Amino acid sequence: MHKLIVFLSTAAWIAAAHAQVAASQPDGAAPAQDEPGAVTFEIGAGLEHDSNVAVLELDASADAGDAAALLELGVAYDRPGTAKLDFGAGYNFSETAHDDFSAFDVRIHRASARMSYDFGRLDAGAMLQHAVAELDGNEFLTLTQVSPYLSRLVGKRLFLRFALADTDKDFAGNPARDASTSSLWSDAYVFLNGLRTYLVFGHRYDDENAVSPEFDYIGQRLSFQVSQRFAMRAREITLRAYLRTEGRDYRAVSPSIGALRRDHRRELEALAEIPVGRRVVARVGVKRADNESNLAAVDFAETVLSVGFNATL
């Protein structure tokens, strides 16, 4: 479920960041695509196999692999044009249905809104999102996040973005894990050849305070991404590689181990996006994650293979 929390708390923020980068792309960027409409619809479906299905936010693991079907539906409004004041809103539904371990099935409803103002080479804005997640058909987590941010294009090759985030998490049926989190985000995009080739360096600092002190922690997350776009037989294929590392130092003794808990997670991911139509993209990915912890339930490794299609209307 660690993946679920990451998705809930970052998906809308990352989408806005990429849109802003694309709008301010420097010389040498990829050719512009068709101008999107004010309202867009997205539908996606796929399959994945996870070698160790887990709900990390509940410190639970199946200790076995399973296949799952993926479904995603979304609608978004983005203010058209290039006015200094920009805003948008969206709704997204996603579901992961496992073949054998239905207890790990996840369903997410997420609504988001954003607003920003262009002061020239500096943009200021804010993101609001609210999400409700279900686990095995039952309400599991409600999350609300407010995130103001600043971004700046430095020259033609460097794009910087800084954000604060306040997040409230409510776990249905498990109030001891209810928490508020204060986060500091920073990202640096380095353009080697516009949006055709670029690097992203990221850092996140988390300070989470839960109802039960044993779940309080300080977290640090570092990430690196390289993206390469190239033409092959009249199709523009995008390859991305990600390296992420995250550590959590818990501030109170965990009763189950009689010690301060320490978690460390490392991820390596590769993703290929291949257009198969004017508005349809095939995605093939592989991810390897290694979790190290003195809590045995979350001390394991996993490999996730996925394939899917996304269509934008």
Side-chain angles (χ1 to χ4, degrees):
M1 195 57 63
H2 179 89
K3 294 177 290 184
L4 168 62
I5 299 297
V6 170
F7 171 79
L8 287 175
S9 59
T10 66
W13 188 84
I14 292 174
H18 279 218
Q20 191 174 5
V21 170
S24 58
Q25 54 183 289
D27 294 342
Q33 302 298 318
D34 294 340
E35 185 71 19
V39 178
T40 57
F41 297 89
E42 183 176 0
I43 182 171
L47 298 171
E48 75 170 22
H49 185 275
D50 191 336
S51 65
N52 196 330
V53 182
V55 182
L56 292 188
E57 289 301 324
L58 294 180
D59 303 328
S61 169
D63 198 26
D66 196 10
L70 312 175
L71 175 65
E72 184 170 2
L73 302 170
V75 58
Y77 170 84
D78 291 291
R79 183 181 185 182
T82 57
K84 289 184 175 295
L85 179 63
D86 188 27
F87 53 83
Y91 165 78
N92 177 273
F93 168 83
S94 63
E95 183 170 11
T96 302
H98 290 88
D99 185 23
D100 294 322
F101 297 106
S102 61
F104 294 87
D105 290 353
V106 176
R107 183 177 297 154
I108 303 170
H109 300 268
R110 179 174 58 85
S112 63
R114 61 174 179 83
M115 180 176 292
S116 64
Y117 190 84
D118 182 1
F119 291 94
R121 298 189 70 84
L122 179 70
D123 278 23
M127 177 77 69
L128 169 66
Q129 61 177 328
H130 178 77
V132 176
E134 298 175 5
L135 182 65
D136 192 21
N138 300 308
E139 186 176 346
F140 167 64
L141 170 66
T142 300
L143 180 148
T144 302
Q145 183 183 80
V146 179
S147 178
Y149 64 85
L150 294 172
S151 62
R152 177 179 175 83
L153 184 65
V154 181
K156 296 182 178 180
R157 295 188 179 275
L158 179 62
F159 181 87
L160 302 175
R161 186 177 179 94
F162 305 93
L164 299 173
D166 286 323
T167 308
D168 288 321
K169 303 175 184 177
D170 293 316
F171 290 84
N174 199 343
R177 291 182 180 266
D178 290 354
S180 61
T181 310
S182 297
S183 304
L184 176 64
W185 304 69
S186 59
D187 287 276
Y189 290 72
V190 181
F191 300 99
L192 304 180
N193 182 22
L195 289 180
R196 289 192 181 278
T197 308
Y198 64 90
L199 310 175
V200 185
F201 301 89
H203 174 261
R204 189 185 81 205
Y205 171 86
D206 294 324
D207 183 352
E208 179 152 308
N209 292 281
V211 171
S212 177
E214 71 172 291
F215 300 116
D216 294 349
Y217 69 84
I218 296 294
Q220 300 271 1
R221 179 180 173 90
L222 297 173
S223 61
F224 170 73
Q225 173 189 342
V226 57
S227 179
Q228 175 65 55
R229 183 184 298 170
F230 60 93
M232 178 180 289
R233 296 183 178 179
R235 294 181 178 179
E236 199 164 66
I237 297 174
T238 301
L239 299 179
R240 293 191 177 94
Y242 304 83
L243 177 62
R244 311 178 186 96
T245 179
E246 180 178 2
R248 292 183 178 183
D249 293 324
Y250 288 79
R251 293 194 289 258
V253 172
S254 297
S256 61
I257 58 177
L260 293 173
R261 179 177 165 183
R262 299 286 185 267
D263 292 353
H264 188 207
R265 181 179 175 92
R266 294 182 299 272
E267 292 182 356
L268 180 62
E269 181 178 7
L271 177 66
E273 298 181 348
I274 308 167
V276 293
R278 185 179 179 186
R279 298 184 180 275
V280 180
V281 175
R283 291 187 172 92
V284 180
V286 57
K287 180 172 68 175
R288 172 70 179 185
D290 290 297
N291 302 286
E292 296 179 356
S293 176
N294 54 352
L295 182 65
V298 290
D299 187 63
F300 65 89
E302 63 178 331
T303 301
V304 182
L305 305 174
S306 61
V307 60
F309 296 85
N310 282 76
T312 302
L313 308 176

